[in-house]
Amino acid sequence: MLPNRFLENLLRESLAQHLPDADTASVLVRPCPDPQFGDYQSSALISLAKERKLNPRQLATDIASKLALPDWAKVEIAGPGFLNFRLSPSILEESLRSAMRGEHLFFEPTRKPRTVVIDFSSPNVAKPMHVGHIRSTILGDCLARVFRLLGDAVIADNHIGDWGTQFGKLLVGWKEHLDQSALQADPITELERLYKLVNTESEKNPDVLERARSELVKLQNGDPENLGIWRQMIALSQRQFDEIYGRMGVRFDQTLGESVYNPQLKSVVQQLLGAGLARETEGAIAVFFERFPDLKPHPALIQKSDGAFNYMTTDLAALQYRMETWSPDEIIYVTDGRQQLHFKQLFAIFRGWQPECQVNLKHVWFGAILGEDGKPFKTRAGDIIKLSDLLDEAETRAFEIVSAKAEERASRTAADGGLELSQAERKEIARLVGIGAVKYSDLLPNRQSDYVFSWDKMLAFNGNTAPYLQYAYARIRSIFRRLETEESVTDLLQSAATSRLNLSIAEEITLVKHLLNFGIVLEAVADEHRPNYLCNYLYDLAGLLTKFYETCPVLKAEGDTRLARLVLCHLAGRVLWQGLQVLGIEALEKM
RNA sequence: GCGCUCGUAGCUCAGUUGGAUAGAGCAACUGCCUUCUAAGCAGUGGGUCGUGGGUUCGAGUCCCGCCGAGCGCGCCA
């Protein structure tokens, strides 16, 4: 068990004996903000004492004196009643050895495994994926990876927009203006052209609008020709989605269109009417929220006055389907913040509709991506930026930088051969650096704030960026490549599992202590759905690593010290690799 | 009008049940490459955390007012 968890349990047990009515779950042992106070602290006793009108320092003293502390930890009482814990070098060395034995990588799947459905990305058929989909896709994929790492069963669920009024216009366009060769070459662009064309026409000519309506009705009534065209549009779109997801390394366990839920919609509305939750209003059917003060002014339509259903109805049917299919403990929707009201309504309706259902429903929302002018991120011409173009540009820009740096370095270190990168290697590095930079720049800000999209910042090699982290990893790998030519790395690392690992320099100790906090950070990411905690943790780790390099030669060190430093490099590298992996970013052997 | 989010260094942003002296990067200035990748490291300067109250042993964080910004509010998703 990792030290902070061990101390936390110890403190909870002691508290339970001392104050049996106290909520031990509220007792947390966290890293100290300032190392001068110690390694871990708990401030929980202060507030517990206050609630009970006890003297906080006295309570802390009483409980601390009864802690059955192991010989590797010391406790002090500080300030108004903090408990500060200090770890001895022996437990630091032992945690490195146990990691080398493969017992852990500084995190543990501690919670009960849950089943979690994550609804994210949700692109639309016949439209290009664009920057509007990027945050949901990256954030949702990252959360899925973190939950899986911590032992949950995850269903990554892509809810495709394959139904709606736009198909009337698309059908008219397909039947009247389709350019087969353009469709072959670039299906999405052609579908987009058709939609815009018919949309413009219908604004001028009511006949066109009427034809679109009638095509839509035919589709909805199961007309074989229109269904066939619709299915082709879906298949062509899915190819585009697959290509983008392939480039981004995002995968789903389930992909269903909204249309799948069509057969259930009528019944959903009937049930809500039957339960007295919904009623007719101005020809439409809506749910009113009498018992929810904040929702009272905002009824939700579940059936339009023309008899058609909408987003809310589909989401309700999808929610029910997910409950029946997986009985998840939690369902997470990853969308932008403008949909907060919609999800409040959805969750409130579902609670009223199926009050016995225990599922935890979460809307994980995020802010907007802005251009450097502070306005929504668009092209110079004011168009929405397509995701494929964005990824292309990321790779192109990364390739230029990687090449420039590689040549700069080659000219500097030509004398000893240095590190040479072939054209093909540079291309592959640029791909991983470019995509990684885009993802990281999206995960780094607090998800709820709007952020400014900047190529220069995300592709910089200094500062908190993906390339900086990838570089730190590449430097570690470089050490092991050099070592490999001399001796067996595997044998050496195996011997570390049972060897003395002498840590003496401050940089070494700081680094180990930081490694020990990996699990705390992963849990915080999972609990609050905030990957930026992990980004900042990894940035700190990379910074500590490079400081360690500056003061601690690894290959030139000797004996115990050399082995300990190699172990530190190895394990820091594995944590960096694992951390990047759950962010959806690939670590690089060379760059 | 009501609701959500935000306001932290010149700029872009972090800031973990409220916790100890508010942090990073950029920009400016100063050092360090015959030494494991200098795509790096060390250092200097820069803050009444929008504002006024309140709660608390303790507030950037919680509560109330005000100022400013973005977004949302029944037949789009």
Side-chain angles (χ1 to χ4, degrees):
Chain A
M1 191 184 295
L2 292 168
N4 88 294
R5 176 85 56 200
F6 185 91
L7 294 171
E8 197 169 87
N9 288 345
L10 208 60
L11 184 56
R12 286 177 180 183
E13 284 166 24
S14 178
L15 176 70
Q17 286 185 355
H18 208 88
L19 297 174
D21 62 315
D23 174 20
T24 56
S26 70
V27 174
L28 300 178
V29 173
R30 298 177 160 271
C32 275
D34 186 330
Q36 74 171 0
F37 298 120
D39 298 315
Y40 293 98
Q41 67 159 246
S42 180
S43 58
L45 299 184
I46 305 173
S47 48
L48 284 170
K50 299 282 281 188
E51 286 167 16
R52 290 168 178 69
K53 308 249 192 271
L54 300 170
N55 179 323
R57 249 195 107 94
Q58 189 59 48
L59 179 69
T61 309
D62 291 348
I63 290 188
S65 66
K66 290 192 186 125
L67 281 176
L69 279 182
D71 56 10
W72 48 260
K74 288 201 173 76
V75 65
E76 293 161 17
I77 293 134
F82 290 105
L83 291 188
N84 288 333
F85 296 94
R86 283 178 205 278
L87 305 187
S88 74
S90 65
I91 188 68
L92 300 181
E93 292 180 27
E94 178 51 27
S95 68
L96 292 180
R97 275 192 295 270
S98 55
M100 293 309 290
R101 289 194 295 270
E103 291 168 19
H104 64 83
L105 187 59
F106 308 103
F107 69 90
E108 340 181 85
T110 50
R111 303 163 309 162
K112 285 181 194 155
R114 304 171 307 158
T115 300
V116 183
V117 174
I118 309 184
D119 177 322
F120 65 98
S121 197
S122 311
N124 295 310
V125 164
K127 290 185 193 164
M129 286 185 77
H130 55 80
V131 282
H133 299 107
I134 198 171
R135 288 198 91 171
S136 175
T137 306
I138 291 172
L139 191 52
D141 180 57
C142 174
L143 293 177
R145 288 165 181 262
V146 172
F147 288 134
R148 282 197 192 100
L149 186 69
L150 292 178
D152 290 329
V154 175
I155 296 110
D157 189 348
N158 200 359
H159 188 69
I160 307 281
D162 69 348
W163 201 247
T165 50
Q166 74 272 26
F167 285 99
K169 288 171 184 170
L170 281 163
L171 283 162
V172 171
W174 183 286
K175 289 181 178 179
E176 298 179 8
H177 305 287
L178 183 64
D179 177 342
Q180 273 295 349
S181 62
L183 191 74
Q184 295 292 325
D186 185 349
I188 301 304
T189 302
E190 174 61 5
L191 290 174
E192 201 187 8
R193 183 187 72 87
L194 293 176
Y195 179 79
K196 284 183 180 165
L197 181 68
V198 177
N199 200 37
T200 313
E201 279 188 353
S202 63
E203 278 168 16
K204 294 181 218 146
N205 185 350
D207 288 355
V208 178
L209 197 61
E210 193 41 52
R211 286 213 294 284
R213 272 203 201 103
S214 109
E215 294 295 352
L216 183 66
V217 170
K218 280 167 70 185
L219 174 68
Q220 288 167 342
N221 292 336
D223 173 77
E225 186 192 3
N226 282 9
L227 273 178
I229 295 170
W230 174 70
R231 289 200 183 101
Q232 281 187 67
M233 292 193 274
I234 290 172
L236 292 168
S237 298
Q238 188 62 48
R239 240 182 271 165
Q240 175 217 196
F241 302 152
D242 290 343
E243 190 194 324
I244 299 263
Y245 294 138
R247 289 179 75 179
M248 294 181 69
V250 172
R251 73 172 184 82
F252 291 91
D253 303 291
Q254 165 104 335
T255 299
L256 290 178
E258 301 175 85
S259 60
V260 168
Y261 306 104
N262 287 349
Q264 274 72 53
L265 301 181
K266 203 170 175 180
S267 149
V268 168
V269 172
Q270 286 306 317
Q271 288 178 50
L272 291 171
L273 282 169
L277 292 163
R279 66 169 193 260
E280 193 263 323
T281 168
E282 295 168 39
I285 295 172
V287 176
F288 292 83
F289 303 95
E290 310 296 351
R291 304 212 317 265
F292 299 82
D294 53 330
L295 291 179
K296 209 171 170 184
H298 305 289
L301 287 184
I302 52 171
Q303 186 168 5
K304 301 195 277 182
S305 53
D306 66 0
F309 305 101
N310 61 13
Y311 183 37
M312 184 63 78
T313 335
T314 310
D315 271 357
L316 284 164
L319 184 40
Q320 186 182 33
Y321 168 86
R322 288 166 183 169
M323 289 312 301
E324 285 170 355
T325 310
W326 299 295
S327 308
D329 301 286
E330 183 164 281
I331 303 179
I332 294 170
Y333 297 84
V334 187
T335 82
D336 75 83
R338 291 175 302 187
Q339 297 188 46
Q340 286 173 83
L341 179 59
H342 169 77
F343 284 101
K344 275 186 192 168
Q345 293 173 326
L346 174 68
F347 298 164
I349 295 172
F350 188 75
R351 294 294 177 212
W353 178 28
Q354 303 194 17
E356 72 291 347
C357 187
Q358 292 296 308
V359 68
N360 194 11
L361 300 171
K362 278 268 158 59
H363 181 212
V364 171
W365 61 268
F366 51 82
I369 304 180
L370 307 175
E372 305 216 33
D373 57 0
K375 294 185 204 145
F377 188 41
K378 300 245 170 90
T379 63
R380 288 229 174 103
D383 296 320
I384 292 173
I385 294 167
K386 294 180 187 174
L387 208 36
S388 57
D389 293 343
L390 187 92
L391 299 179
D392 288 347
E393 185 164 357
E395 291 181 19
T396 309
R397 283 174 180 263
F399 183 74
E400 283 165 14
I401 294 169
V402 167
S403 291
K405 294 289 180 187
E407 266 151 49
E408 183 190 315
R409 186 167 49 215
S411 67
R412 195 173 57 227
T413 57
D416 69 340
L419 173 73
E420 285 180 23
L421 297 173
S422 69
Q423 192 74 1
E425 279 177 313
R426 289 181 196 182
K427 207 98 197 164
E428 180 61 6
I429 290 167
R431 190 177 72 79
L432 299 176
V433 166
I435 305 287
V438 168
K439 287 189 172 190
Y440 194 80
S441 72
D442 206 84
L443 294 168
L444 176 63
N446 180 324
R447 64 177 157 80
Q448 288 177 332
S449 47
D450 296 348
Y451 80 93
V452 175
F453 191 95
S454 162
W455 287 115
D456 291 338
K457 279 185 185 148
M458 75 177 73
L459 285 166
F461 292 86
N462 44 16
N464 196 348
T465 66
Y468 177 83
L469 301 183
Q470 289 169 317
Y471 174 64
Y473 183 78
R475 285 180 76 177
I476 295 175
R477 299 306 305 152
S478 176
I479 288 177
F480 284 98
R481 264 199 309 280
R482 284 178 187 265
L483 182 64
E484 194 89 73
T485 60
E486 299 164 25
E487 50 201 302
S488 164
V489 174
T490 319
D491 290 352
L492 196 68
L493 292 177
Q494 246 168 28
S495 75
T498 51
S499 300
R500 179 80 214 285
L501 298 172
N502 188 25
L503 304 170
S504 50
I505 313 287
E507 281 80 1
E508 298 169 329
I509 290 167
T510 310
L511 189 52
V512 187
K513 288 179 177 173
H514 197 253
L515 292 178
L516 286 173
N517 295 337
F518 187 39
I520 297 173
V521 172
L522 286 172
E523 284 169 27
V525 171
D527 289 345
E528 296 185 42
H529 313 105
R530 291 188 192 278
N532 62 312
Y533 294 160
L534 180 55
C535 295
N536 287 319
Y537 171 85
L538 294 176
Y539 178 57
D540 290 340
L541 174 59
L544 292 175
L545 258 170
T546 47
K547 279 164 201 146
F548 162 78
Y549 286 138
E550 296 291 323
T551 38
C552 302
V554 177
L555 294 175
K556 292 197 175 91
E558 291 176 357
D560 285 356
T561 304
R562 182 170 188 262
L563 184 61
R565 289 180 182 174
L566 279 168
V567 164
L568 268 178
C569 287
H570 176 75
L571 292 174
R574 287 195 56 207
V575 169
L576 205 44
W577 182 91
Q578 183 68 75
L580 285 169
Q581 194 272 334
V582 292
L583 292 176
I585 296 170
E586 293 194 49
L588 293 166
E589 292 295 313
K590 294 180 185 177
M591 66 187 284

